[in-house]
Amino acid sequence: MASVTIRRRVRQLSALSRSSAFRYAIIACLLVATASLFVQSARTALHQVPSAVPKFLPKYSSPIVSLADAKAAAAGIHRGDILVAINHRPYTGMAVFWQALREAAPGSVMLVTVRSPEPNSPDRTIALPVTPSTRVIDSKLASFCLHLIVPAFCFVLGFWVVMVRPRDLSAWLLLGLLLGIGLGVLGYPAIDDWGPATLKVVLTYHLLFYSAIPAFLFLFGFFFPEPLPFFARDGSWGKWLPWIVVIPFEILALIYVAVMVGGLTTNSLARFSPILHSLAIPMALYQIALVGAFFFFIVTKSVIAISADAKRRLRLLYWGAAVGITPLLTLGLTVYVGHRLDFPDWISSLVVLMFLVFPFTLAYVIVVQRAMDVRVVVRQGLQYAFARHSVGLLQFLAIGLVTLTALALIGQNQKRPQKLIVIAIGLLAIFTIRRLSLKLGAWVDRRFFREAYDAEQVLGELSEGVRSMVEVRSLVRTVAERISETLHIPRVAVMVGDGGPYRPAYALGYGTTPDIVFPPGTGTVKVLARQREPARVYFDDPHSWLYREPEVTEEDRSKLTQLDSELLLPLSARNQLLGFISLGPKLSDEPYSRADLRLLKSVAAQTGLALENAQLISDIADEVAQRERLNSEVQIARDVQERLFPQTLPPIAGLAYAGACRSALGVGGDYYDFLALPGGKLGLAIGDVSGKGIAAALTMASLQASLRSEATRAPDNIAGLMSNVNRLLHEALASNRYATFFYGQYDPASSQLTYVNAGHNPPMLFRSLNGDCRVSRLEASGTVVGLLDNAIYQQAAVALGPGDVLIAFTDGISEAMNAAQDEWGEARLIETVKECLKLPPAEIISCIMKSADTFAAGAKQNDDMTIIVLSAQALAVAPS
């Protein structure tokens, strides 16, 4: 068994190593290409003297002038003219135009030979004066910052983030976005720096990222910090939306890149120019739509974000992007639509300077505001990198030594069989060295607490397992120890309130249990109760909630310092904070990733529900034990059970409803519930647990806890919900325990009731039609819950119209007996309901109970009697 585990771990590490190596190989290639382009372009920028020439621009792969400003037009160059030569060089492509701009020096002239598009038009040569540039951004200092500092800043930030988080899609999108911005600011490469052949490769690399800026911006807005809830749901088509939107744009962009690179030194692609020119405005509108979608995603996420820190980061990103991108979009749209290039120099300079706000805002949000957790503590990070690379170096040297030795032996005068033996031994040695290096790498990972474990599986199993735990101490110990083992967190403290101050219920890594108490009114408790989201603890960030929230005092910060907290997980149920888990730093010094937070939130949510259930069971047990000494067990259990039934009825448009339960022994196993669900829906449940008394009541409490936990997880798939409830009950109950159960969800928007009947008495739907009352039954669609491990259920739906009345009941109603052991029966129940059909639901229940009691004539009640009534009503129409 141990050898199988070792082999599995070696395979996992091998796959992880190959995956990481591939990612870092891509990073290395991009880094080398970008650095080469930056160094060469920076050298050119440092020696170039800023100049100003009347502006005109040829079309892609065509000698036709597409844009000309007022100065160029005054000199004789007009839109639609055909370029013949520039500085006596025949115009064979954009490379000639760029070379002329590169050579333009103040005091000289640029000789441009053009001819009109009319047939037989003569060539005319126009001397465009080259003057010193007066733009602010062309000054020595501004040019140095713009062409060197800003691109270097973008490149360093992008590569740093992706090297720290190589498995994070947002990090790669950020790299692509910053490469596009940095290369765009750097400018097009010069032909005399690279030569004609290399220039095409360099220009292709430049244009691929530069043209993809809108796509990277759209994708970054979609995925950062995580997709919107609708798009993140399992099975949702929304996960394909960004790629469906981006792929057509990228196809068009690639066509533009191919035509532009192809037209660098030739005009042979001029026949495609009219087609591309006709697509210029749609392409610009496509770009604007992608950028607009980016703003939509960021604004929407900032609105729905629960954490104040997340809201602040997203708002900062929104305003930084708005200030930087909006002027540039406006100017670009004006150029495309208005065919204008003659903007005042101060406008173009201001637009460029405002655009730089965007990358600096990105840096501030990601680094200072910790949006992607890249400020990793490197106390062990450098040691780990050194150890890991040392393993690789040792492997390389060992393989090299074996190879050289084998070659030396083969080179000697030996017979062929001896040479084959040497080769076989060499291959075996290389294979052995590789196996040993993988095991040594695994040891290094364990030493630095970075081994490849399946945290999602471990924590997912934990979140499933805690729901069946009913003892608080066992529950919090299991959760704390499993989280600590899985994520290598040496210090974990579970604080539980239990109706009073929050004290450590279990703690790991502190030696003795910390003597720390958080009263209910302290700032930390209020923030966790209000946000109901994991809260990162940054003691070194003055903008963190620790310092921003006025109710958080120095005493709070001191207590969190004693706990060595880095992350707080609230344990909530029914909008009540039952406790929270304090997690210290990981042993690997890595921050908690978004994947960690997603899994820990799932564990915390299920732990909160289990803690509520455990506390409820504990309350039942404590109260029963106390009242047993006073011979009042039944009364205590009845009081506790009454609290499990709905205390308030959430208002539902177009629906009146009520429920009631009368136990045969003061406490029983009948159960009904009403749940307020998202979207204004109502969940209704009724069940009958096998047996009676305290045991049935405890089973009923477990059924309620299972239903409530599942109803919040999958509100639409109630057939799957019923299967999960069945599985949880089967695990928690003895083999001879089960329950009949009916659960439905009413949607007021469609007036439709979707339901699953697990072996329960079919509820009756009374519907009046032309003065006649018809009764239909919602029959069973599956077996009882808790009896079988894997049971399959089918859901059905029925529309409720005004005047329709639904009666759901347990067999204690229909099987009520008189002294002669005669049953009241469903026929008498139907006739009773017809007589009081027009009454409110609560009065219908009273009428049914009274009629059953009259039939029983004082005979002993043998079973619990439970009933719920729903009455559909016409929605009130507001006066016009």
Side-chain angles (χ1 to χ4, degrees):
M1 186 66 181
S3 61
V4 173
T5 303
I6 292 174
R7 287 197 297 270
R8 185 185 300 115
R9 178 55 54 87
V10 169
R11 287 196 297 270
Q12 289 177 348
L13 290 172
S14 179
L16 182 64
S17 176
R18 288 194 299 271
S19 175
S20 299
F22 178 71
R23 290 187 178 94
Y24 281 112
I26 294 177
I27 295 173
C29 293
L30 292 175
L31 183 59
V32 170
T34 304
S36 302
L37 185 57
F38 173 74
V39 170
Q40 192 64 40
S41 299
R43 185 185 305 166
T44 301
L46 287 175
H47 294 88
Q48 188 169 6
V49 179
S51 60
V53 184
K55 301 181 185 69
F56 67 97
L57 184 67
K59 292 182 179 180
Y60 297 130
S61 300
S62 171
I64 300 174
V65 176
S66 63
L67 295 172
D69 68 1
K71 293 181 180 179
I77 300 178
H78 304 285
R79 184 167 172 262
D81 285 348
I82 300 173
L83 282 172
V84 178
I86 302 179
N87 289 338
H88 303 298
R89 295 191 189 97
Y91 186 79
T92 56
M94 288 291 290
V96 176
F97 177 70
W98 288 348
Q99 185 70 10
L101 293 177
R102 169 88 166 76
E103 295 172 347
S108 64
V109 294
M110 179 186 293
L111 300 177
V112 181
T113 302
V114 298
R115 67 169 176 266
S116 299
E118 291 80 11
N120 302 320
S121 297
D123 295 347
R124 59 184 189 275
T125 300
I126 300 164
L128 297 179
V130 182
T131 59
S133 176
T134 58
R135 295 194 306 173
V136 175
I137 58 174
D138 285 336
S139 65
K140 276 290 183 184
L141 178 60
S143 180
F144 177 81
C145 293
L146 182 62
H147 296 290
L148 295 180
I149 302 299
V150 173
F153 173 82
C154 293
F155 299 151
V156 169
L157 177 62
F159 280 108
W160 177 44
V161 172
V162 81
M163 283 191 288
V164 171
R165 304 181 64 85
R167 293 182 179 84
D168 191 339
L169 177 60
S170 294
W172 286 94
L173 295 175
L174 178 69
L175 174 63
L177 179 60
L178 290 174
L179 282 179
I181 294 173
L183 293 172
V185 174
L186 198 61
Y188 291 119
I191 190 171
D192 53 352
D193 290 339
W194 300 96
T198 310
L199 181 63
K200 289 189 175 183
V201 178
V202 174
L203 182 61
T204 300
Y205 180 79
H206 181 287
L207 291 176
L208 282 176
F209 285 100
Y210 180 63
S211 63
I213 288 178
F216 282 125
L217 194 64
F218 169 82
L219 293 173
F220 185 74
F222 185 92
F223 289 104
F224 175 82
E226 56 188 18
L228 291 169
F230 171 77
F231 299 113
R233 289 187 304 184
D234 292 337
S236 172
W237 59 269
K239 63 183 180 180
W240 301 105
L241 174 65
W243 311 111
I244 295 173
V245 172
V246 164
I247 287 175
F249 175 82
E250 280 305 302
I251 292 175
L252 290 175
L254 287 174
I255 294 174
Y256 270 91
V257 171
V259 172
M260 192 168 182
V261 174
L264 193 62
T265 55
T266 179
N267 291 321
S268 61
L269 300 177
R271 61 183 180 277
F272 298 109
S273 185
I275 299 175
L276 294 179
H277 189 68
S278 65
L279 292 175
I281 292 180
M283 187 71 172
L285 295 176
Y286 205 154
Q287 292 173 337
I288 293 173
L290 292 177
V291 176
F294 163 80
F295 284 109
F296 168 77
F297 291 138
I298 297 301
V299 170
T300 304
K301 292 175 184 179
S302 68
V303 171
I304 67 175
I306 298 176
S307 168
D309 289 336
K311 286 181 178 289
R312 184 180 71 255
R313 296 187 191 109
L314 291 168
R315 286 170 182 167
L316 280 172
L317 182 58
Y318 169 79
W319 285 111
V323 171
I325 296 176
T326 304
L328 187 65
L329 274 180
T330 304
L331 186 66
L333 194 60
T334 304
V335 170
Y336 276 113
V337 177
H339 304 292
R340 291 186 56 192
L341 283 177
D342 50 341
F343 296 100
D345 290 339
W346 67 268
I347 290 182
S348 58
S349 299
L350 182 62
V351 169
V352 171
L353 294 176
M354 290 180 69
F355 177 72
L356 299 183
V357 173
F358 178 53
F360 284 109
T361 302
L362 275 175
Y364 181 79
V365 170
I366 290 169
V367 179
V368 179
Q369 297 294 318
R370 306 172 191 256
M372 295 179 69
D373 284 322
V374 294
R375 290 209 308 192
V376 181
V377 180
V378 294
R379 185 184 67 205
Q380 285 189 332
L382 293 177
Q383 299 176 21
Y384 172 77
F386 176 76
R388 253 304 190 174
H389 294 156
S390 297
V391 172
L393 180 61
L394 288 174
Q395 178 185 357
F396 175 77
L397 292 176
I399 292 176
L401 181 61
V402 170
T403 304
L404 292 176
T405 303
L407 291 176
L409 291 175
I410 292 172
Q412 296 177 0
N413 295 325
Q414 295 180 354
K415 297 180 179 179
R416 183 173 181 180
Q418 295 173 328
K419 292 182 179 181
L420 292 176
I421 292 173
V422 171
I423 293 174
I425 294 174
L427 292 175
L428 180 62
I430 290 174
F431 177 77
T432 304
I433 290 170
R434 175 171 174 78
R435 293 290 299 270
L436 290 175
S437 65
L438 287 174
K439 293 183 178 180
L440 183 59
W443 178 86
V444 171
D445 283 337
R446 290 194 298 272
R447 167 64 180 81
F448 289 91
F449 307 100
R450 295 167 183 256
E451 64 266 34
Y453 53 80
D454 194 345
E456 184 166 358
Q457 179 180 352
V458 173
L459 295 181
E461 292 173 353
L462 176 60
S463 66
E464 288 289 328
V466 298
R467 289 186 292 181
S468 60
M469 297 182 182
V470 295
E471 201 274 315
V472 174
R473 175 73 178 179
S474 174
L475 170 66
V476 297
R477 183 180 69 249
T478 301
V479 171
E481 291 177 352
R482 202 64 183 276
I483 291 177
S484 176
E485 293 169 2
T486 304
L487 297 179
H488 297 302
I489 306 169
R491 291 190 169 185
V492 180
V494 183
M495 314 292 290
V496 177
D498 199 14
Y502 295 83
R503 304 176 185 274
Y506 189 78
L508 282 173
Y510 296 94
T512 60
T513 303
D515 186 17
I516 297 174
V517 177
F518 288 87
T522 56
T524 300
V525 173
K526 289 183 177 179
V527 170
L528 293 175
R530 183 170 62 247
Q531 292 188 174
R532 299 197 299 277
E533 286 283 322
R536 297 181 186 270
V537 179
Y538 295 131
F539 294 106
D540 60 343
D541 185 359
H543 299 289
S544 172
W545 63 270
L546 285 174
Y547 303 94
R548 187 182 64 252
E549 300 293 343
E551 60 262 39
V552 179
T553 64
E554 186 61 35
E555 184 180 1
D556 284 87
R557 292 188 284 270
S558 175
K559 292 176 181 178
L560 293 175
T561 302
Q562 294 179 55
L563 290 174
D564 196 18
S565 301
E566 190 169 293
L567 184 69
L568 300 179
L569 295 176
L571 305 177
S572 303
R574 302 196 188 189
N575 297 326
Q576 180 183 0
L577 183 68
L578 304 178
F580 61 91
I581 303 176
S582 169
L583 302 179
K586 296 182 182 179
L587 283 174
S588 63
D589 289 321
E590 293 177 307
Y592 292 95
S593 65
R594 287 201 299 273
D596 293 338
L597 291 183
R598 184 177 65 253
L599 296 169
L600 289 170
K601 280 173 62 177
S602 175
V603 171
Q606 299 305 323
T607 303
L609 292 170
L611 186 60
E612 181 193 34
N613 193 30
Q615 289 180 344
L616 183 60
I617 298 298
S618 178
D619 290 343
I620 293 175
D622 290 344
E623 290 190 23
V624 167
Q626 181 181 2
R627 299 296 180 90
E628 274 182 348
R629 293 191 295 269
L630 303 175
N631 296 320
S632 54
E633 177 193 70
V634 175
Q635 184 59 43
I636 290 297
R638 176 187 296 174
D639 293 342
V640 175
Q641 189 177 41
E642 282 296 325
R643 284 183 286 173
L644 297 179
F645 293 123
Q647 303 301 306
T648 59
L649 302 181
I652 302 296
L655 190 70
Y657 60 100
C661 175
R662 190 172 72 190
S663 300
L665 301 177
V667 62
D670 274 14
Y671 162 62
Y672 79 94
D673 206 354
F674 298 113
L675 294 81
L677 301 177
K681 297 180 181 180
L682 175 71
L684 56 126
I686 186 169
D688 187 355
V689 177
S690 62
K692 297 179 179 63
I694 298 297
L698 292 176
T699 302
M700 169 258 195
S702 181
L703 175 60
Q704 185 209 45
S706 299
L707 173 65
R708 285 183 172 267
S709 68
E710 291 298 323
T712 60
R713 289 157 56 94
D716 295 323
N717 182 14
I718 63 174
L721 176 150
M722 190 68 77
S723 297
N724 290 338
V725 169
N726 171 74
R727 177 174 51 82
L728 293 172
L729 276 182
H730 181 76
E731 294 172 356
L733 301 181
S735 58
N736 61 341
R737 310 290 294 183
Y738 62 91
T740 65
F741 192 46
F742 175 90
Y743 176 72
Q745 289 183 356
Y746 177 76
D747 186 357
S750 60
S751 299
Q752 181 168 279
L753 176 70
T754 306
Y755 65 92
V756 173
N757 190 339
H760 194 73
N761 303 74
M764 300 177 181
L765 178 60
F766 292 81
R767 177 170 290 165
S768 297
L769 185 65
N770 299 326
D772 184 23
C773 183
R774 297 186 179 181
V775 181
S776 58
R777 300 173 186 265
L778 309 187
E779 298 290 348
S781 57
T783 187
V784 296
V785 293
L787 188 62
L788 303 176
D789 185 15
N790 295 314
I792 299 176
Y793 300 89
Q794 301 293 329
Q795 66 186 52
V798 62
L800 300 184
D804 290 353
V805 174
L806 179 70
I807 307 293
F809 56 95
T810 61
D811 54 12
I813 297 289
S814 58
E815 297 176 3
M817 294 184 179
N818 58 20
Q821 299 297 305
D822 297 323
E823 290 186 357
W824 187 44
E826 292 188 0
R828 292 187 177 91
L829 171 61
I830 292 173
E831 292 303 318
T832 301
V833 174
K834 288 181 178 180
E835 292 173 2
C836 55
L837 200 60
K838 301 299 183 181
L839 298 178
E843 295 185 22
I844 293 177
I845 292 175
S846 298
C847 182
I848 293 173
M849 290 291 194
K850 182 178 180 180
S851 180
D853 290 342
T854 300
F855 174 82
K860 180 182 176 181
Q861 180 181 335
N862 295 315
D863 201 358
D864 304 330
M865 302 175 68
T866 304
I867 187 167
I868 60 176
V869 177
L870 276 69
S871 176
Q873 301 174 345
L875 292 173
V877 180
S880 58

